[in-house]
Amino acid sequence: MSEEVPAAAQEPDEAPTAPAGPVALGVVRTPTGHAAVDAALERLADVDHLPADGHVEVYEDVHRGLRSALTALDATEGPRPHENRS
């Protein structure tokens, strides 16, 4: 009498294969309405096509762009509140 081996215990016909190259993460980037921030966030899409060792350069570039956008917010035009004393 031969016992049948459950399908889950059988060897798979083909082993899963690793992707040939970088695979996009599919992270959704929602526009903020601020052009400089949106441009920096769109730059993140570049990592989808790079190997992991190329990500650092992109992340540093995005970080610089976001810091620049934040710094620009501190440089407002016109008088600041309570500075318009005549």
Side-chain angles (χ1 to χ4, degrees):
M1 177 179 200
S2 104
E3 290 187 30
E4 210 171 297
V5 178
Q10 294 176 358
E11 292 292 321
D13 291 338
E14 293 181 25
T17 58
V23 177
L25 295 176
V27 176
V28 177
R29 288 170 295 279
T30 305
T32 65
H34 190 280
V37 172
D38 291 341
L41 294 177
E42 281 303 312
R43 173 88 163 97
L44 288 174
D46 293 347
V47 299
D48 287 346
H49 310 290
L50 296 173
D53 62 353
H55 291 191
V56 172
E57 181 181 339
V58 173
Y59 293 152
E60 288 175 347
D61 185 42
V62 170
H63 186 250
R64 277 190 298 274
L66 293 174
R67 284 185 63 108
S68 177
L70 285 172
T71 300
L73 292 175
D74 289 337
T76 59
E77 295 180 19
R80 294 182 181 199
H82 309 292
E83 287 185 358
N84 191 7
R85 299 180 188 158
S86 22

